Amino acid sequence: MNEIFKNLPHGSSRNKIEYLAEELGKLAGGAVTNLIDNGHFHGMCARGFVTTQSRSDRPFSLNVTSLGGRAEFMLAHGWAIQVQPGAGITAPVSRVGNYYLNTLPNRHFAQIMCQGFTMYQVLRPVAPQNDESKSVRAAFNVMALAGAEVEVGFRFIHMSEDGSHTLGDKVASKIHTDFAGDGFVTCDSGALKNNVQVEQPSYVALYLEVRNSGIVGLQRGVCGFVADDADLAKLEFTHAPPYYQATDCMKPIGFEDLGAGLIRFNHNAIHAPFGMARHMLASGYHVQTITEHGSDYKVFQYPVDHIPSAAQLEAMQMSFQYSSMPTGFDFYKV
């Protein structure tokens, strides 16, 4: 019999209600909130993405496309991925998708085929908690090939006076190497100390970096304020609609031919608090360049021999991913 029922007091209903209320309070106090958005990796974007190169300078610009060296795209709602410099040539990201295996406890996982990459999520402002015995920790279930290295940790995002944002150094990171390609391994981070390392308010990038593995499976992602491994194990997926949204293509709602190869595309207004270049990622191959942009329009400059016809413009989609989560933080900057 359940311990709560065994200990249920005899006598009046009031005694039973007070006892149950106390037990529920204990359970609530032991609950741990998952800070990660979309720990299931649902809503995968960019299926079939292939990057032909990963340039060493990797400029994060609206005019640098995934086939032109950007080597970054939205993996899913709330998750961005950067290809390790050089890895896009030797082992490109050739397939991204959701797969179901009846032998897995949770059955759902994401698969990424790439020799080296960093996957990350920018956590919403993380405020310190009053309980200094707790720290921020994260964990992923990862399947990788023998010889692979998986690093899990955090990097603060610092805002400069000019409004630009840069990544801080790695903190609370751990490296895992116990892989055989035949099962999932729990890869956790170190402890980001509460009220010591956690600034307020602070954006923190949680990252998972993979090295030397041509194929990787991801089954679970959790992060929260925990006191120990038992608390970390309590963290569960969140089933609510993702806070961070990502779309593969943007559909214009109108266009205007400005002449001389300039075309203005109007689209639904997008929210870009970190700047447009951090929320829109150029994908595919572009012959045109952006000369002007706003929250609800883009002006493209087309080469004279590539100016689209009116019929082509009517059917056109803009090859841009939009992410409500900020992106373009250079994890491979030397």
Side-chain angles (χ1 to χ4, degrees):
M1 180 184 294
N2 185 292
E3 286 297 316
I4 292 180
F5 284 102
K6 284 176 63 177
N7 296 326
L8 193 68
H10 299 287
S12 70
S13 298
R14 181 179 180 83
N15 289 341
K16 293 183 174 70
I17 291 172
E18 289 178 349
Y19 168 76
L20 290 173
E22 183 178 345
E23 291 301 315
L24 287 173
K26 291 178 183 177
L27 290 174
V32 184
T33 301
N34 187 6
L35 300 175
I36 283 183
D37 184 33
N38 190 17
H40 282 294
F41 312 106
H42 279 311
M44 304 292 280
C45 300
R47 290 176 176 84
F49 178 98
V50 176
T51 176
T52 57
Q53 58 178 324
S54 297
R55 294 195 336 208
S56 59
D57 55 349
R58 296 173 313 286
F60 296 106
S61 158
L62 291 175
N63 287 318
V64 179
T65 71
S66 59
L67 290 179
R70 180 171 178 125
E72 180 184 38
F73 64 94
M74 292 306 299
L75 176 67
H77 300 301
W79 295 103
I81 183 172
Q82 283 181 27
V83 178
Q84 175 184 319
I89 299 172
T90 59
V93 176
S94 56
R95 182 173 60 178
V96 178
N98 294 334
Y99 298 84
Y100 294 82
L101 297 179
N102 291 329
T103 57
L104 293 176
N106 207 30
R107 298 212 299 176
H108 174 275
F109 76 102
Q111 185 185 62
I112 303 170
M113 299 180 70
C114 184
Q115 185 71 17
F117 64 89
T118 295
M119 184 185 76
Y120 68 96
Q121 180 172 128
V122 177
L123 302 179
R124 284 166 281 171
V126 178
Q129 294 191 344
N130 293 328
D131 187 353
E132 294 189 16
S133 67
K134 293 186 176 181
S135 56
V136 180
R137 288 180 59 193
F140 297 87
N141 286 357
V142 181
M143 181 163 52
L145 300 179
E149 290 185 354
V150 173
E151 181 177 342
V152 180
F154 303 90
R155 299 180 73 168
F156 286 108
I157 298 174
H158 303 295
M159 182 182 293
S160 303
E161 291 184 0
D162 61 1
S164 61
H165 301 77
T166 57
L167 277 180
D169 295 332
K170 294 178 178 179
V171 292
S173 61
K174 287 177 68 174
I175 297 175
H176 303 265
T177 58
D178 188 20
F179 302 101
D182 58 356
F184 283 89
V185 175
T186 298
C187 299
D188 62 339
S189 71
L192 194 63
K193 294 300 183 182
N194 185 29
N195 286 332
V196 178
Q197 290 176 292
V198 177
E199 305 164 1
Q200 180 173 348
S202 179
Y203 282 94
V204 179
L206 165 64
Y207 72 89
L208 180 147
E209 182 178 352
V210 176
R211 299 181 284 269
N212 304 319
S213 184
I215 184 169
V216 177
L218 298 168
Q219 193 189 22
R220 175 178 182 259
V222 293
C223 178
F225 283 93
V226 298
D228 48 32
D229 288 346
D231 266 4
L232 190 63
K234 292 179 185 177
L235 287 168
E236 296 296 335
F237 303 115
T238 51
H239 297 278
Y243 173 82
Y244 285 129
Q245 297 292 321
T247 58
D248 264 340
C249 288
M250 297 179 63
K251 178 69 176 176
I253 58 175
F255 66 90
E256 181 182 355
D257 189 342
L258 303 178
L262 289 172
I263 307 291
R264 173 183 169 129
F265 287 93
N266 299 315
H267 55 77
N268 292 325
I270 61 175
H271 185 54
F274 279 68
M276 196 66 66
R278 293 213 185 270
H279 293 273
M280 289 186 66
L281 296 83
S283 57
Y285 175 74
H286 290 186
V287 296
Q288 72 276 22
T289 58
I290 293 179
T291 61
E292 184 183 343
H293 61 77
S295 63
D296 59 356
Y297 75 94
K298 304 287 178 288
V299 176
F300 292 98
Q301 175 69 68
Y302 285 85
V304 175
D305 55 345
H306 283 85
I307 298 176
S309 66
Q312 289 173 322
L313 288 171
E314 288 285 0
M316 188 173 291
Q317 283 189 330
M318 293 186 291
S319 297
F320 286 89
Q321 287 186 316
Y322 166 70
S323 168
S324 59
M325 182 187 82
T327 63
F329 303 101
D330 196 345
F331 283 83
Y332 291 100
K333 185 176 182 179
V334 178

